[in-house]
Amino acid sequence: MSEFHLVDLTQMTYGGEAMGRLADGRAVFVPFALAGERVLVQLTEEKRGFARAMLMDVVQPSPARIRPRCPHFTQCGGCHYQHMDYDLQLTVKQSVLTEQLQRIGGLADPPVRLMVPSPRAWNYRNTVQFHLTPEGQLGFRATDDRTVIPIQECYLPEEPLLNLWKQIQAEPLPNLERLSLRVGADGEILLVLESLDTTPPAISVEELPVSVVHSGPAGSLVLAGDDHVIMEVLGRPFRVSAGSFFQVNTSMAEAMVKHVLSLLPRERLGTVLDVYCGVGLFSAFLALHAQNLIGIESAPSACDDFAVNLDEFDNVSLYMGTAEQILPSLQVQPDVIVVDPPRAGLELAALDAILRMNAPMLIYISCDPATLARDTKRLIRGGYRLEQVIPFDLFPQTYHIESISLFQR
């Protein structure tokens, strides 16, 4: 068993932790703590240059510390910031984003603007994903990311999901990987059962107003209702199938679309490239400003949704494949490139292809400040200027940071 250490914490870091120094000078990272606190910790991981620790006691709390709303906080791995008020969460995230661009991106003074707050700090998620305990209870991954803890309360899902999930009863099946709920604009709910079996798991939904889809090795099978929900952004409907990604905070998705559109030049554009276009959230609005809109997406269900959601446009085409597969062979000269990569950021082959296209404007939508900072360094070396970065708080109570960066040549 590791010994205890008394540590003064000096700054917040990406990942939801506060950092201090051990007596030997190594940095130590502590979850559920705040900068300015003196804490008693027990080391859980030791490396040559740093360590991670478990918070055992807050000896001198920060004046900013507040009482968490949820009784599962510190056990459940879903929330990281319930011990600070929402204004402080915004400040911390903005400073973390700036620090990542400085340290990893090599920028002395990153042009990070004020974070756009979520209209709702609670009950904002249109989608929630559960794992099951061995007894068949719905739960979330614990902070160790291995065990599942049963959940009695959660304050992040939208109200219709909050009212429904406690009514679901599943059998304790070892091959049921995950259970997801998504609510559409009309209040309809889609229940997705992900398992390793071709046979759908037994679950009681007879009296629940939901559509049910089983996702297994053989693909998706509709058990009840529809295989999708309709999401609505700025008055425009989007079909989102069971296997397709969509932003979990609908009101913030609207704010992001508005911001992307505000960055466009006033004149009509020639070609716009939307890389990692998903179901067409940005493409549907960008297509109105361009002679040609080209989407690139690898997920089959998202491609199917994209085709439906943008069916009205004659100036839209879609390439199905990964960005690193499609971009190097794509012979176009876009006026604007929009990228919305996963947390891993841009693959090097995709980034190199983007640089060769020499588009005057690049809009980078990021969900990970570390990979954004890494890619920013590469883009600047390739001739781009980083004009502005605006963070959007899609995930209140968590350390996750969404941002939109504008690069120009």
Side-chain angles (χ1 to χ4, degrees):
M1 184 67 67
S2 177
E3 61 185 9
F4 293 97
H5 298 262
L6 197 62
V7 180
D8 291 320
L9 302 173
T10 56
Q11 71 179 84
M12 303 300 295
T13 62
Y14 183 57
E17 298 163 320
M19 189 193 83
R21 294 282 176 183
L22 297 172
D24 61 11
R26 285 182 299 165
V28 60
F29 299 92
V30 186
F32 309 118
L34 295 175
E37 293 186 327
R38 175 169 289 180
V39 295
L40 186 67
V41 304
Q42 186 176 38
L43 300 188
T44 57
E45 179 184 359
E46 293 192 63
K47 301 291 185 180
R48 178 175 296 180
F50 70 93
R52 299 193 184 280
M54 180 187 303
L55 179 64
M56 305 305 294
D57 187 32
V58 181
V59 178
Q60 291 182 3
S62 164
R65 177 175 283 275
I66 65 172
R67 183 181 180 87
R69 182 176 180 181
C70 180
H72 301 295
F73 185 63
T74 72
Q75 281 81 48
C76 168
C79 289
H80 319 94
Y81 283 170
Q82 286 195 29
H83 57 315
M84 63 179 90
D85 67 29
Y86 189 52
D87 286 342
L88 181 56
Q89 292 181 33
L90 298 175
T91 300
V92 166
K93 291 184 183 184
Q94 185 176 332
S95 66
V96 165
L97 176 59
T98 301
E99 185 273 337
Q100 295 281 287
L101 287 166
Q102 289 172 332
R103 183 172 56 84
I104 300 174
L107 299 176
D109 187 21
V112 179
R113 300 189 180 179
L114 290 176
M115 174 167 268
V116 179
S118 174
R120 289 183 291 180
W122 305 97
N123 304 120
Y124 60 84
R125 290 189 64 99
N126 58 44
T127 302
V128 61
Q129 298 174 334
F130 297 97
H131 289 81
L132 269 70
T133 68
E135 296 75 31
Q137 298 170 289
L138 296 187
F140 295 140
R141 291 282 191 193
T143 53
D144 62 11
D145 201 34
R146 295 188 302 272
T147 56
V148 177
I149 60 170
I151 295 294
Q152 281 76 47
E153 298 178 42
C154 184
Y155 299 99
L156 300 191
E158 289 187 21
E159 290 293 341
L161 300 182
L162 205 61
N163 297 332
L164 177 73
W165 67 266
K166 292 184 181 180
Q167 303 177 51
I168 297 174
Q169 296 178 346
E171 297 294 331
L173 298 174
N175 288 330
L176 182 56
E177 293 284 290
R178 192 162 59 178
L179 183 153
S180 302
L181 291 168
R182 175 181 280 158
V183 60
D186 54 4
E188 293 193 7
I189 294 175
L190 177 64
L191 169 62
V192 182
L193 307 171
E194 300 178 43
S195 76
L196 301 176
D197 285 338
T198 54
T199 304
I203 188 166
S204 176
V205 296
E206 289 84 356
E207 299 180 0
L208 303 181
V210 296
S211 295
V212 184
V213 172
H214 173 239
S215 178
S220 294
L221 175 66
V222 178
L223 303 181
D226 297 317
D227 65 349
H228 66 273
V229 294
I230 301 298
M231 310 299 288
E232 189 173 291
V233 174
L234 297 176
R236 183 180 183 88
F238 290 86
R239 189 186 85 165
V240 183
S241 296
S244 299
F245 170 81
F246 198 80
Q247 296 289 2
V248 302
N249 190 327
T250 308
S251 60
M252 291 304 288
E254 293 191 340
M256 291 170 66
V257 169
K258 286 181 179 178
H259 179 64
V260 167
L261 296 179
S262 75
L263 297 176
L264 301 180
R266 291 186 178 182
E267 65 272 13
R268 185 170 175 79
L269 299 166
T271 298
V272 173
L273 197 56
D274 187 3
V275 189
Y276 313 94
C277 61
V279 303
L281 173 62
F282 294 100
S283 292
F285 299 96
L286 292 168
L288 298 169
H289 298 268
Q291 294 178 14
N292 298 294
L293 186 285
I294 299 173
I296 298 175
E297 175 57 47
S298 61
S301 65
C303 289
D304 292 341
D305 290 338
F306 183 100
V308 171
N309 294 331
L310 283 88
D311 181 59
E312 70 194 73
F313 295 103
D314 295 326
N315 62 329
V316 171
S317 56
L318 174 66
Y319 288 81
M320 182 174 174
T322 64
E324 55 271 22
Q325 290 172 334
I326 303 297
L327 285 173
S329 59
L330 199 59
Q331 300 299 314
V332 295
Q333 291 184 313
D335 296 316
V336 176
I337 300 175
V338 177
V339 297
D340 187 4
R343 296 197 186 282
L346 294 171
E347 290 286 341
L348 191 56
L351 191 145
D352 287 343
I354 287 171
L355 290 175
R356 287 194 295 270
M357 289 179 178
N358 204 32
M361 177 181 290
L362 171 68
I363 300 172
Y364 190 132
I365 301 160
S366 166
C367 60
D368 188 295
T371 55
L372 168 65
R374 180 203 65 196
D375 292 345
T376 293
K377 192 172 187 177
R378 295 171 177 170
L379 289 166
I380 290 174
R381 285 176 178 171
Y384 277 101
R385 303 183 312 275
L386 178 59
E387 300 290 349
Q388 61 170 252
V389 184
I390 297 188
F392 289 78
D393 194 24
L394 269 69
F395 310 98
Q397 316 307 324
T398 80
Y399 68 78
H400 299 295
I401 305 170
E402 198 91 4
S403 64
I404 299 179
S405 299
L406 173 63
F407 295 85
Q408 290 184 313
R409 286 191 182 274

